[in-house]
Amino acid sequence: MNTFPLFFKLEDRKVLIVGGGDVALRKADLLSRAGACITILAPSISAEIQALLSDSKHELIYENYNKAYMTGARVIIAATDDEGLNHQIHADATELNIPVNVVDTPLLCDFIFPAIVDRNPIVIGISSNGKAPVLARLLRARLETLIPQGYGKLAKLAGEFRAEVKTKIPTLTGRRQFWERAFEGQVSQLMFAGNEKEAAAQLQADLDNTASAINEKNTADNTSTESQTMQNGIGEVYIVGAGPGDPELLTFKALRLMQQADIVYYDALVSPQVLDLCRRDADKVFVGKKRSNHAVAQLGINELLVNSAKEGRRVVRLKGGDPFIFGRGGEEIESLRAHDVPYQVVPGITAANAAASYAGIPLTHRDHSQSVRFVTGFLKAGAPNSNFKSFLNTDETVVFYMGLHSLPRLTEGLIDAGRSSDTPIAIVSNASMPNQQVLTGTLANIVELQEQNQLPTPALLIMGNVVALHHDLAWYHVDNEQNNQNTADTDDNWLRGGKTVVAKAPTSQQAHALSMVANLATADDVEQLIIG
């Protein structure tokens, strides 16, 4: 973050605005809504400002700028068209350690006025750090359509009940789960329909029922493990496919459950951008497995999921790609079922789909491939998959997961089994991410090309005639200069001299906006949300 987002409490606090024209009017109008006591300092003050600040709490001073008027100000706004004066105001405010904003001059701003979505008391501020204010306003307009006006009333209702909920529900987890039920259930629906009294009555009934259930459980002996589990209630495990890495490829359901989690167990293939969309105060535990280096063995992961759920926690098992495609999700739900732990499975975009799509390599094509097969380069306990004679069908696309480290053995075995050495093959590294790379070649030369280019893991291999389409169909923001170098190769030799292609990823603003919306329904302390 280039700037850290904060909200200022300006109720009955002095704000000095130097300037009396249209710019000062816009700032005064905004700040007056926050309850600030506004002082306007300018030799000439517009009639519109006079009408806006007619209340006795505000002050209009018809004088030239004087540093003495900064005394007691919480913040200062320079809204003049005199560049020299603006620099002087900035210098004086800095000397007095008072935050200052010089309008339309980012270098002279200690803070930034964001584009605001106002659902009082829910307030959302969106800032581009002065780089693209029009874009910030467009994002605000999009959020305005996503967030009903009723959210403000819902937040006010929650504020009225907050103290009572804290008294009747002693645990933080219990309170969070109570509020999530309220914000996602009948209470919110009644509020959005305009039935405020019915919403309050429903919330009171839900709270009384929850408190009664807690009191009944507390009558049991809570010293034993079984009774403690009964008191906490059993949680639930969400086995979530995190996709290939680009957060915009997450499903809505995945994002919603990630925002509800009390604890997240995540793999090495989960990108930091995706992990950042989990609920901020959730515990995040790395249980990744890399080749010959397992942070936690699979049986240990199974045990962690079961134990966390039995503590009453909502558990997200966040797995790169799809949980059921070489993700060992089946083994995990077998363990959950054996211990009677409820669970859900959320599919994700598997690496094969992502790598093929982002590399412009269709996995099936009417003229080149009528079927596709996903194969792992290694089996259980590291046993190699060497059934090469089953991969001789030239009308089929084969995708090898976890095959990069065994590339020499795979290519040699395929050729020895009868597959043509001219068979096209591609390596796709970091699919869908800003550092995606694609290397194309044939079974005969891909090992040599990889030794020269050293594409890193995570990567997978795509073998088949469809690989030849990459040359024409690659679309993913490929670097133009590098792409021009590729197109210089002839149709006859491009596979034999395939180049490394570095892709440039789009921004992830939409994903972060979705995270903000999800937070509306899950924040225990529903007050303010910010996109910096």
Side-chain angles (χ1 to χ4, degrees):
M1 293 183 289
N2 295 323
T3 55
F4 189 81
L6 296 169
F7 283 99
F8 281 77
K9 291 184 177 180
L10 296 178
E11 183 76 28
D12 296 328
R13 301 297 298 272
K14 176 181 176 180
V15 174
L16 174 64
I17 300 177
V18 183
D22 290 340
V23 176
L25 173 63
R26 291 199 300 271
K27 301 305 180 186
D29 182 34
L30 194 61
L31 292 164
S32 66
R33 300 182 200 178
C37 299
I38 300 172
T39 296
I40 299 290
L41 176 60
S44 176
I45 300 174
S46 69
E48 290 83 1
I49 292 179
Q50 296 178 40
L52 175 68
L53 305 181
S54 59
D55 192 290
S56 60
K57 70 184 294 185
H58 307 299
E59 184 178 10
L60 308 181
I61 303 175
Y62 293 83
E63 296 182 13
N64 290 321
Y65 169 71
N66 188 318
K67 178 182 177 180
Y69 289 113
M70 289 187 173
T71 301
R74 183 68 181 86
V75 295
I76 296 170
I77 314 297
T80 81
D81 55 6
D82 185 331
E83 184 176 350
L85 177 57
N86 287 339
H87 276 82
Q88 183 62 51
I89 294 169
H90 176 267
D92 292 343
T94 300
E95 181 181 346
L96 295 173
N97 291 319
I98 302 174
V100 60
N101 176 285
V102 178
V103 179
D104 291 333
T105 312
L107 292 177
L108 298 181
C109 292
D110 295 326
F111 63 94
I112 295 171
F113 280 88
I116 295 173
V117 178
D118 186 0
R119 298 290 185 271
N120 184 41
I122 299 292
V123 179
I124 305 168
I126 308 166
S127 170
S128 67
N129 290 302
K131 305 297 184 183
V134 173
L135 178 59
R137 289 198 292 271
L138 289 173
L139 287 173
R140 184 200 69 181
R142 181 173 296 183
L143 291 178
E144 289 277 9
T145 66
L146 292 175
I147 305 172
Q149 291 288 341
Y151 269 116
K153 294 179 179 179
L154 187 61
K156 290 177 181 177
L157 178 64
E160 295 170 2
F161 276 79
R162 189 176 178 190
E164 185 178 356
V165 169
K166 191 171 184 179
T167 299
K168 293 184 175 180
I169 304 177
T171 66
L172 179 62
T173 298
R175 292 194 294 272
R176 184 184 302 118
Q177 293 174 352
F178 171 81
W179 285 122
E180 286 174 353
R181 290 194 300 272
F183 295 149
E184 294 181 339
Q186 186 66 18
V187 172
S188 64
Q189 294 304 318
L190 289 168
M191 184 63 75
F192 293 157
N195 300 322
E196 297 180 34
K197 291 183 178 179
E198 292 87 343
Q202 183 67 53
L203 186 59
Q204 185 68 65
D206 291 346
L207 177 57
D208 292 342
N209 291 336
T210 301
S212 176
I214 291 173
N215 290 333
E216 290 178 5
K217 290 179 180 179
N218 285 340
T219 59
D221 179 12
N222 60 8
T223 59
S224 69
T225 302
E226 291 183 1
S227 61
Q228 187 65 45
T229 298
M230 181 183 299
Q231 180 176 340
N232 292 334
I234 195 165
E236 188 172 9
V237 175
Y238 313 125
I239 299 180
V240 176
D246 183 351
E248 292 188 354
L249 297 180
L250 284 169
T251 64
F252 283 108
K253 186 172 185 178
L255 181 63
R256 177 172 59 82
L257 295 179
M258 288 160 60
Q259 286 288 330
Q260 292 180 3
D262 299 310
I263 187 168
V264 179
Y265 294 104
Y266 66 97
D267 281 347
L269 295 179
V270 175
S271 70
Q273 294 91 329
V274 168
L275 188 63
D276 192 48
L277 295 178
C278 294
R279 205 182 79 214
R280 191 170 299 276
D281 58 343
D283 294 330
K284 300 177 182 67
V285 182
F286 175 68
V287 292
K289 295 188 288 291
K290 297 183 179 180
R291 178 171 168 265
S292 302
N293 181 16
H294 293 191
V296 181
Q298 186 61 52
L299 291 177
I301 295 173
N302 297 347
E303 186 176 354
L304 288 171
L305 299 179
V306 170
N307 290 343
S308 294
K310 287 192 172 182
E311 292 170 359
R313 308 179 84 180
R314 287 160 305 177
V315 184
V316 160
R317 174 68 172 105
L318 198 58
K319 308 169 79 69
D322 181 272
F324 279 10
I325 299 182
F326 305 125
R328 305 186 76 168
E331 298 173 44
E332 292 172 352
I333 65 171
E334 286 175 345
S335 174
L336 296 172
R337 284 180 61 85
H339 292 86
D340 295 322
V341 173
Y343 62 88
Q344 298 182 41
V345 180
V346 182
I349 295 177
T350 187
N353 285 339
S357 297
Y358 276 66
I361 302 174
L363 292 176
T364 61
H365 190 285
R366 188 165 55 178
D367 297 328
H368 301 283
S369 176
Q370 284 70 54
S371 62
V372 60
R373 195 189 324 189
F374 297 166
V375 183
T376 178
F378 284 85
L379 301 178
K380 192 170 184 179
N385 184 355
S386 56
N387 187 19
F388 297 115
K389 289 189 178 297
S390 66
F391 304 127
L392 301 183
N393 183 3
T394 58
D395 293 330
E396 180 179 70
T397 304
V398 181
V399 180
F400 293 95
Y401 285 69
M402 297 167 284
L404 188 60
H405 291 289
S406 56
L407 182 62
R409 182 186 59 78
L410 285 173
T411 55
E412 181 180 352
L414 288 164
I415 293 173
D416 289 345
R419 192 75 192 239
S420 171
S421 61
D422 289 331
T423 300
I425 188 170
I427 302 172
V428 184
S429 169
N430 290 303
S432 83
M433 296 300 289
N435 55 341
Q436 174 180 300
Q437 294 178 282
V438 181
L439 183 64
T440 59
T442 66
L443 289 179
N445 69 0
I446 193 64
V447 172
E448 179 183 356
L449 292 173
Q450 170 60 6
E451 289 176 351
Q452 295 170 0
N453 291 278
Q454 294 294 308
L455 268 63
T457 57
L460 50 69
L461 316 176
I462 304 176
M463 181 184 73
N465 294 330
V466 291
V467 173
L469 300 175
H470 162 74
H471 182 57
D472 296 321
L473 303 185
W475 61 271
Y476 179 50
H477 299 280
V478 175
D479 180 85
N480 289 330
E481 180 179 350
Q482 184 66 64
N483 191 44
N484 290 336
Q485 292 176 5
N486 284 350
T487 56
D489 296 334
T490 66
D491 290 341
D492 292 333
N493 70 9
W494 76 271
L495 278 172
R496 306 184 192 286
K499 300 292 182 71
T500 301
V501 177
V502 180
K504 295 181 180 179
T507 59
S508 298
Q509 290 176 332
Q510 184 177 3
H512 287 287
L514 292 173
S515 173
M516 181 280 305
V517 174
N519 265 310
L520 285 171
T522 57
D524 182 51
D525 185 2
V526 183
E527 291 183 354
Q528 299 162 330
L529 298 169
I530 312 164
I531 300 176

